[in-house]
Amino acid sequence: MEEKKQIVVLSGAGMSADSGIKTFRDSDGLWENYRIEDVATPQAWRSNPSLVQEFYNQRRKNVLDAQPNAAHLFLAELEQFYKVKVVTQNIDDLHERAGSSDILHLHGNIRQAKSSGPNAEAKYYPIEGWELRMDQQCDEGYTLRPHVVWFGEEVPLLEKAAEICLQADILIVIGTSLQVYPAANLIHYTKPGCRKIIVDPNAAQLMNDKSYTVINKTAVESIPELKRILFE
Ligand code: APR
């Protein structure tokens, strides 16, 4: 019985699009309807925290109403045949709910809150239901904010994510426009001989690295082709 190969999945908002959750940069995407500087920066929180809180409460409601899609479930099933680690830019918990067991949230997890004061990464607080209210506080008495990495903030788990990508025998990039850094840099952290696959309806435009297998499909539509590659 040979050692199972290591798959690393780098997923983005497109992974959850088939679950009805809006992406950021597609037409009618989130950033077409909101200004990033109004709802997703530390300055936004300082100047209008309840607007920011409400923005994430609405997104949390959408996440709770959504279900993992066939692509989330496929990745979870892969764990029977491969070692699988998921590095996701997504703040939804659909990979968890699909059954994946090893997930790193590069940009946080909308189902959790953290302090808006110093040492915010010291403790995460689970959020019951869809609403995080402005009167909820951390143990030190600071208002709780969503456990989400805003633009301009550090990405605490970046180093760990890079180490994970370097372990990949197979890297599968799914549903990310690779526009946001430092997350997009992770595709360069692969070891020699790593098999690299990108899944995205716009994959051909996104990826000019010829070493990638390009699947110009949605995550769900790509499953048959991924099966052929992974079980050939
Ligand atoms: N299946 C697969 N991919 C899809 C699907 C689908 N059904 N629908 C859209 N896509 C692709 C789009 O073609 C696009 O390349 O998903 C990608 C979504 O890109 P973005 O909206 O930019 O999302 P993402 O790359 O995850 O954004 C990165 O930006 O706003 C920040 O922190 C936020 O984590 C987010 C980061």
Side-chain angles (χ1 to χ4, degrees):
M1 178 73 167
E2 65 180 60
E3 172 79 355
K4 285 182 184 176
K5 285 190 180 300
Q6 179 71 59
I7 289 179
V8 174
V9 176
L10 175 60
S11 70
M15 184 80 214
S16 299
D18 292 315
S19 297
I21 293 181
K22 275 188 177 178
T23 64
F24 296 96
R25 296 173 184 83
D26 287 307
S27 57
D28 192 34
L30 264 169
W31 300 143
E32 259 183 34
N33 298 301
Y34 294 89
R35 285 162 18 109
I36 287 175
E37 53 273 29
D38 292 343
V39 292
T41 64
Q43 295 77 1
W45 177 262
R46 276 196 292 280
S47 60
N48 193 338
S50 42
L51 177 74
V52 174
Q53 199 78 286
E54 182 52 30
F55 172 72
Y56 285 97
N57 284 343
Q58 287 310 319
R59 292 184 59 203
R60 192 171 300 110
K61 209 183 273 186
N62 298 343
V63 168
L64 291 175
D65 291 344
Q67 294 301 325
N69 60 58
H72 291 107
L73 295 167
F74 172 66
L75 295 181
E77 283 156 25
L78 279 181
E79 294 187 17
Q80 297 164 47
F81 311 96
Y82 287 89
K83 291 182 289 185
V84 182
K85 287 179 185 251
V86 177
V87 174
T88 186
Q89 298 171 81
N90 299 339
I91 57 175
D92 64 52
D93 63 342
L94 297 180
H95 281 300
E96 285 85 348
R97 284 158 57 195
S100 287
S101 58
D102 191 332
I103 302 161
L104 181 151
H105 282 274
L106 212 50
H107 295 158
N109 178 342
I110 200 167
R111 300 290 306 268
Q112 296 178 346
K114 66 184 180 186
S115 169
S116 56
N119 309 318
E121 310 304 330
K123 180 173 180 180
Y124 301 125
Y125 301 76
I127 300 171
E128 296 307 313
W130 66 274
E131 189 179 20
L132 179 58
R133 295 186 319 277
M134 291 307 291
D135 63 359
Q136 292 179 259
Q137 298 179 342
C138 71
D139 297 345
E140 289 72 35
Y142 291 94
T143 304
L144 283 176
R145 57 167 272 195
H147 167 24
V148 170
V149 177
W150 286 327
F151 286 90
E153 292 189 311
E154 291 291 306
V155 179
L157 294 177
L158 181 72
E159 194 110 352
K160 191 164 177 342
E163 284 162 20
I164 289 170
C165 290
L166 280 165
Q167 296 163 17
D169 297 311
I170 302 167
L171 175 70
I172 309 177
V173 179
I174 306 187
T176 174
S177 64
L178 296 170
Q179 307 275 307
V180 169
Y181 289 82
N185 273 327
L186 288 171
I187 60 170
H188 302 299
Y189 287 83
T190 52
K191 65 185 180 186
C194 174
R195 171 83 192 264
K196 296 179 279 191
I197 304 165
I198 181 166
V199 172
D200 192 299
N202 294 332
Q205 289 91 310
L206 290 174
M207 182 53 71
N208 46 31
D209 177 340
K210 295 292 168 253
S211 67
Y212 270 80
T213 300
V214 171
I215 303 178
N216 278 296
K217 291 191 171 73
T218 68
V220 172
E221 291 163 349
S222 75
I223 294 171
E225 197 160 342
L226 284 175
K227 275 182 178 165
R228 273 196 295 282
I229 295 169
L230 296 173
F231 297 102
E232 64 196 355

